[in-house]
């Protein structure tokens, strides 16, 4: 008996597609390099999705100078350099005074870089301008539901020194695609550049608010989702971890409010550590068990809404909050500062090791306010 050959032209459906470049991040305080790390939203999202065993494909570009080991191999371009961000602080400054500069930029992700597959969920999570309108449009065609981190769409970069600014979404080439996006995530500082009231007519808008949790806006509903207590050490990457938790919850069939609660949970764990978070394996297993139990309990209520997750809070939402709170383990990682003189160093990425590690993990590209501009990108 001859087996019928499988038509290779028919794309296979996968779970998640994450698009966004990895970066080298350098944190500079008072002209002293105090930390370097792997950066890019994809790295934080990977930490959550991998921990929760969510199958995902990653499309990221780097140059041959990329120095980190990652679970999901990027596309290495011999003719380009890895994206590098410098974040500048001073002793007297507040978070609002941070100056973020893109020092080098890797090539953008183009539609031809994306796989010939279908996905249930797609995440457009660029940080350095690597997401193009045509790439997002192709993702919308490939994925049943697309999540977008607003920073991927509204960041612009000074042509002289690379300083990062924000422009309103309606001034970008992404605005016409708004009504085809499933979820749009923005921090409270980025939300004014979106026009939430207009955007919620077309997609679900989630605004993260740090220690105040988050708010989920749909066409007819506005829901506040409770935060988790956290001792904040480093807020960087919290929004990315939130997005990873949100998506993981929806992948497992949770209602949107429960998935957003899971996002708050992982965001709170991230702010308690420096750089890429390390999640306690026992805690992660408890969370996975709780999510599985919950998804099975609510399976029947989702059968009629497979293509549109429920956006109302389940009656037992508070029970889920209590279960996650009980599972939470806050690891005590020592915080040490490694200082290098920026002026006497030929390059931040060639600095010596600190505390026995090649890099002190810290990602300065995060949910922090950035100055706005009025011109188009």
């Amino acid at each position: 008996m001859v087996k019928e050959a499988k038509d290779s032209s028919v794309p296979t459906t996968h779970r998640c597609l994450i698009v966004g470049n990895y970066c080298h991040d350098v944190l500079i305080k008072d002209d002293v390099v105090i930390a370097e790390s792997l950066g890019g939203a994809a790295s934080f999202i990977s930490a959550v999705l991998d921990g929760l065993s969510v199958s995902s494909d990653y499309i990221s570009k780097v140059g041959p100078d990329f120095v980190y080991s990652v679970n999901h191999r990027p596309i290495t371009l011999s003719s380009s350099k890895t994206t590098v961000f410098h974040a500048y602080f001073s002793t007297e400054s507040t978070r609002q005074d941070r100056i973020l500069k893109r020092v080098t930029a890797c090539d953008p992700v183009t539609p031809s870089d994306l796989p010939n597959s279908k996905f249930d969920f797609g995440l457009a999570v660029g940080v350095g301008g690597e997401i193009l309108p045509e790439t997002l449009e192709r993702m919308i065609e490939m994925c049943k539901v697309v999540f977008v981190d607003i920073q991927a769409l509204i960041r612009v970069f000074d042509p002289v020194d690379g300083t990062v600014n924000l422009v309103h979404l309606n001034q970008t080439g992404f605005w016409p695609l708004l009504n085809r996006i499933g979820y749009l995530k923005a921090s409270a500082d980025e939300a004014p550049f979106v026009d939430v009231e207009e955007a919620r007519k077309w997609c679900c808008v989630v605004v993260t608010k740090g220690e105040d949790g988050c708010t989920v806006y749909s066409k007819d509903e506005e829901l506040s989702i409770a935060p988790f207590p956290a001792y904040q050490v480093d807020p960087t990457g919290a929004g990315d971890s939130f997005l990873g938790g949100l998506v993981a919850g929806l992948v497992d069939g949770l209602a949107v409010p429960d998935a957003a609660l899971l996002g708050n949970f992982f965001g709170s764990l991230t702010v308690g550590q420096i750089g890429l978070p390390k999640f306690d394996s026992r805690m992660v297993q408890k969370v996975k068990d709780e999510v599985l139990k919950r998804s099975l309990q609510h399976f029947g209520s989702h059968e009629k809404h497979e293509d549109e997750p429920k956006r109302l809070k389940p009656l037992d939402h508070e029970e889920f909050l209590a279960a996650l709170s009980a599972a939470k383990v806050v690891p005590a990682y020592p915080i040490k500062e490694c200082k290098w003189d920026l002026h006497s160093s030929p390059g931040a990425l060639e600095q010596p090791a600190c505390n026995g590690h090649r890099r002190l993990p810290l990602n300065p590209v995060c949910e922090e306010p950035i100055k706005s501009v009025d011109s188009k990108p």
Side-chain angles (χ1 to χ4, degrees), residues 25-38:
D25 287 348
V26 183
L27 181 62
I28 302 166
K29 186 175 183 179
D30 297 328
D31 288 335
V32 173
V33 176
I34 61 171
E36 299 176 27
S37 84
L38 169 66

Side-chain angles (χ1 to χ4, degrees), residues 6-15 116-119 142:
K6 185 178 180 180
D7 186 356
S8 60
S9 65
V10 179
T12 302
T13 299
H14 300 272
R15 294 305 279 159
N116 182 32
S117 302
K118 293 292 185 180
F119 293 86
M142 297 167 56

Side-chain angles (χ1 to χ4, degrees), residues 110-153:
T110 66
S112 62
D113 295 316
L114 303 180
N116 182 32
S117 302
K118 293 292 185 180
F119 293 86
D120 293 320
F121 300 93
L123 284 73
V125 291
V127 294
E130 66 268 30
I131 304 294
L132 305 174
E134 55 266 35
T135 303
L136 179 57
E137 185 171 21
R138 177 61 181 144
M139 290 181 65
I140 292 171
E141 295 169 353
M142 297 167 56
C143 306
K144 292 181 180 178
V145 181
V146 172
F147 299 74
V148 177
D149 191 325
I150 193 62
Q151 69 179 358
L153 312 186

Side-chain angles (χ1 to χ4, degrees), residues 72-305:
H72 305 278
R73 182 178 300 177
I75 300 170
T76 302
L77 304 175
S78 59
S79 59
S80 184
K81 290 185 177 181
T82 301
T83 299
V84 175
F85 279 96
H86 286 184
Y88 294 86
F89 299 85
S90 67
T91 303
E92 294 78 18
S93 68
T94 64
R95 290 179 63 216
Q96 285 73 16
D97 296 324
R98 183 191 73 155
I99 298 175
L100 183 64
K101 295 184 178 183
R102 188 186 66 178
V103 180
T104 61
C106 196
D107 289 354
V109 179
T110 66
S112 62
D113 295 316
L114 303 180
N116 182 32
S117 302
K118 293 292 185 180
F119 293 86
D120 293 320
F121 300 93
L123 284 73
V125 291
V127 294
E130 66 268 30
I131 304 294
L132 305 174
E134 55 266 35
T135 303
L136 179 57
E137 185 171 21
R138 177 61 181 144
M139 290 181 65
I140 292 171
E141 295 169 353
M142 297 167 56
C143 306
K144 292 181 180 178
V145 181
V146 172
F147 299 74
V148 177
D149 191 325
I150 193 62
Q151 69 179 358
L153 312 186
I154 64 174
R155 280 187 172 183
V156 293
F157 309 91
D158 187 276
V160 177
D161 66 1
T163 297
V164 179
N165 293 291
L166 303 178
V167 295
H168 199 283
L169 182 61
N170 63 17
Q171 298 178 23
T172 74
F174 298 99
W175 180 255
L177 300 174
L178 182 63
N179 64 345
R180 300 171 64 188
I181 292 171
Y183 293 80
L184 187 65
K185 194 229 50 154
S187 70
D189 300 295
E190 295 165 337
F193 298 91
V194 178
D195 189 351
V196 172
E197 291 304 314
E198 179 65 24
R200 68 189 293 189
K201 297 176 184 177
W202 306 105
C203 64
C204 182
V205 180
V206 183
V207 178
T208 57
K209 300 179 178 180
E211 62 183 10
D212 295 321
C214 69
T215 302
V216 178
Y217 300 89
S218 59
K219 185 176 181 180
D220 302 313
E221 299 288 339
E222 179 178 328
L223 300 175
S224 295
I225 308 300
F228 289 84
Y231 177 74
Q232 181 170 295
V233 175
D234 175 17
T236 60
D240 304 323
S241 294
F242 167 87
L243 188 55
L246 172 71
V247 172
L250 294 177
V251 165
D252 283 329
L254 298 185
V256 173
D258 284 352
L261 188 65
L262 189 63
N264 283 349
F265 176 80
F266 280 101
S268 72
L269 292 175
T270 299
V271 301
Q273 304 179 45
I274 290 183
L276 289 176
K278 296 180 180 179
F279 303 125
D280 181 90
S281 60
R282 295 165 299 174
M283 178 209 66
V284 171
Q285 188 58 53
K286 289 180 181 179
V287 172
K288 291 170 69 174
D289 292 343
E290 188 62 37
V291 169
L292 176 60
K293 180 177 72 174
R294 192 164 185 80
S295 63
L296 291 175
Q297 288 175 344
H298 294 270
F299 177 74
S301 65
H302 286 281
E303 286 182 328
K304 296 181 181 180
H305 304 278

Side-chain angles (χ1 to χ4, degrees), residues 353-358:
C354 177
N355 300 324
H357 300 284
R358 183 175 185 182

